[in-house]
Amino acid sequence: MRRQAVNLLRSLALSGGETAKLSNTCAAGGLFVARSFADDAALKKTVLYDYHVAQGGKMVPFAGWSMPIQYKDSIMDSTLHCRTHASIFDVSHMCGLTLKGKDAVKFLEGLVVGDIAGLADGTGTLSVFTNEKGGIIDDTVVTKVSPDELYIVVNAGCREKDLAHLGKHLDAFKAKGGQVDMEVHDDRSLLALQGPEAVAVLQQHVSGTDLDKVYFSNFRKLDIKGIPCFLTRTGYTGEDGFELSIPNDSALELCEALMADSRVRMCGLGPRDSLRLEAGLCLYGNDLNEDITPVEAGLTWTVGKRRREAFDFLGGEIIKQQIAEGVSMRRVGLVSSGAPARQHCEIVDGEGKKVGEVTSGAFSPCLKKNIAMGYVDKVCAKAGTQLKINVRGKMNDATVTKMPFVPTHYHKP
């Protein structure tokens, strides 16, 4: 289990930007030894830190925070529990923020590729912030609460650069008369309740709203156990579930209330990584970065149809050209033999020529085989293509496979 935790930390090491790199670089060599952080006092802690410790959480440095990688159960068991019952993830290290004002949509559409104006009120979408080269600054979920209010969640390790990016463009936008303000929700915690039994567990604490009618990507402001919450039907596991933004002073109360149900367990970063990889979901810093465009990442679908008329966002002309002419590399799924492939493992063709590199890899608790994600030359990207992965000097067989590896179960109409 120690080796599994080491490998998971290695795969997570680049997720979320430079802070994560600093905190986790030495993890693979000794897990918690020789941290770049002087000691735990240098790490931020969520409101639930003491609760995690009391529940047996193994705390590790991640993106500048002290976070649980697992609890008393194994990473394998915890992954399977989420697939069959319900699990709680403390994701309060992530950054929630709100843009308000009559020009909120216009402002944000200059920075992301999605059709935010086209969203119905109370719905959201996955999108990406792009730079002038079309590269991905961060991936984010954007919710249109109303025409003049947007709720956004960005990755923990990208927080500082995202806020600086937003702030820089916000100042310029407002200087030209734009009306929009930004509020960062540092006064709120974020919990994810995921799994097929999540809706039944949560419905017990919600009155006046039938959660069966709140569909995937829908957003509501409502009371849960009398606590005012932002509820989004989304998550990072491929399972049905919810993300709940809660006032800090009520986070423990709500977490304990949900945990009182025997179907629910706490879940850490380790199982979360297995779950998202099985679902074919990208991890920023591993599978996405500022040199990869949404077209190369297989995220062309995030570029809204209306946005393709003008491509009036940062890097739009480059992305327009890539959609029209194609790209030389593509993100693919892989199933391999031998030891699990890890980030940076070389992918080669039958003649031994390097054709790509693994960005994420692990043993799948659900499929009981090795799965990975990576980028390969376009000619090698077709499902069924036979390749090899160099894992510590051994050339293991690999097959390009469609994603998700495990079927998703999002609650849709």
Side-chain angles (χ1 to χ4, degrees):
M1 189 52 59
R2 177 183 175 84
R3 175 176 293 180
Q4 188 175 16
V6 166
N7 287 330
L8 279 162
L9 274 176
R10 182 188 287 120
S11 73
L12 292 168
L14 296 180
S15 65
E18 298 300 320
T19 306
K21 291 180 187 178
L22 289 172
S23 64
N24 291 328
T25 297
C26 298
L31 201 55
F32 312 130
V33 180
R35 294 189 181 109
S36 294
F37 294 103
D39 52 44
D40 285 344
L43 298 173
K44 299 175 186 176
K45 297 177 180 178
T46 73
V47 170
L48 294 179
Y49 175 85
D50 289 339
Y51 183 76
H52 294 314
V53 173
Q55 292 292 312
K58 296 180 175 73
M59 311 303 290
V60 300
F62 179 75
W65 294 77
S66 181
M67 299 295 294
I69 190 170
Q70 67 181 103
Y71 293 86
K72 295 177 182 178
D73 51 353
S74 70
I75 290 172
M76 292 273 290
D77 287 345
S78 189
T79 300
L80 295 172
H81 181 87
C82 185
R83 292 271 184 241
T84 54
H85 300 290
S87 299
I88 296 176
F89 303 78
D90 180 8
V91 289
S92 304
H93 58 310
M94 299 183 73
C95 179
L97 60 99
T98 292
L99 295 173
K100 283 187 177 181
K102 73 178 189 67
D103 295 321
V105 171
K106 180 180 178 180
F107 166 70
L108 188 63
E109 284 198 344
L111 304 180
V112 302
V113 303
D115 181 5
I116 310 306
L119 291 173
D121 291 359
T123 67
T125 185
L126 175 71
S127 193
V128 295
F129 289 99
T130 48
N131 58 29
E132 289 81 359
K133 301 181 299 180
I136 298 172
I137 294 174
D138 198 6
D139 58 323
T140 180
V141 174
V142 179
T143 299
K144 185 181 179 185
V145 181
S146 69
D148 59 0
E149 182 178 351
L150 304 175
Y151 174 59
I152 305 165
V153 178
V154 300
N155 285 303
C158 295
R159 173 191 168 108
E160 298 308 321
K161 74 169 182 177
D162 287 354
L163 293 181
H165 180 69
L166 282 162
K168 171 187 171 183
H169 289 278
L170 185 61
D171 289 344
F173 186 81
K174 294 175 74 171
K176 295 179 181 178
Q179 296 184 31
V180 57
D181 292 298
M182 180 170 70
E183 177 187 2
V184 180
H185 296 301
D186 287 338
D187 59 338
R188 303 184 74 89
S189 295
L190 191 63
L191 298 181
L193 178 64
Q194 301 283 293
E197 294 183 328
V199 62
V201 170
L202 190 60
Q203 186 68 74
Q204 301 171 96
H205 305 286
V206 176
S207 59
T209 299
D210 182 356
L211 295 180
D212 278 337
K213 297 179 181 178
V214 179
Y215 299 108
F216 179 68
S217 84
N218 283 186
F219 173 92
R220 299 287 187 273
K221 289 184 179 179
L222 47 70
D223 286 354
I224 302 175
K225 200 176 178 294
I227 299 166
C229 298
F230 303 163
L231 175 149
T232 310
R233 195 149 194 168
T234 188
Y236 193 48
T237 63
E239 294 299 325
D240 183 24
F242 306 87
E243 289 188 356
L244 310 173
S245 176
I246 313 150
N248 282 336
D249 58 6
S250 298
L252 178 60
E253 177 187 354
L254 183 53
C255 185
E256 288 180 330
L258 296 172
M259 279 289 289
D261 192 305
S262 61
R263 295 170 288 185
V264 182
R265 292 184 191 173
M266 296 299 297
C267 201
L269 293 174
R272 188 169 183 252
D273 194 54
S274 297
L275 290 157
R276 70 90 190 170
L277 182 55
E278 289 180 338
L281 301 175
C282 294
L283 177 66
Y284 192 87
N286 280 36
D287 314 302
L288 306 174
N289 61 49
E290 295 195 29
D291 294 318
I292 295 172
T293 70
V295 183
E296 294 166 332
L299 298 175
T300 304
W301 64 269
T302 64
V303 184
K305 183 178 180 180
R306 179 180 63 83
R307 306 305 309 279
R308 300 186 193 196
E309 297 172 5
F311 287 92
D312 51 349
F313 48 81
L314 291 177
E317 286 303 311
I318 293 174
I319 292 174
K320 177 182 180 180
Q321 182 178 359
Q322 288 186 341
I323 291 176
E325 300 177 4
V327 292
S328 61
M329 67 176 186
R330 297 301 299 261
R331 179 173 63 91
V332 298
L334 298 156
V335 172
S336 65
S337 63
R342 303 298 179 187
Q343 187 182 24
H344 301 310
C345 286
E346 288 188 355
I347 304 170
V348 302
D349 64 15
E351 298 178 356
K353 176 187 173 184
K354 181 179 177 181
V355 295
E357 187 174 285
V358 171
T359 54
S360 291
F363 179 79
S364 165
C366 291
L367 301 178
K368 303 297 188 292
K369 54 185 167 182
N370 302 329
I371 59 174
M373 195 184 294
Y375 286 83
V376 299
D377 294 346
K378 185 178 180 180
V379 295
C380 299
K382 185 177 179 180
T385 301
Q386 300 298 307
L387 299 169
K388 301 276 189 181
I389 301 178
N390 187 339
V391 181
R392 299 191 298 275
K394 293 184 178 181
M395 304 303 293
N396 295 333
D397 292 334
T399 304
V400 175
T401 307
K402 291 183 179 181
M403 295 183 285
F405 299 100
V406 173
T408 56
H409 298 102
Y410 303 127
H411 182 61
K412 297 182 178 181

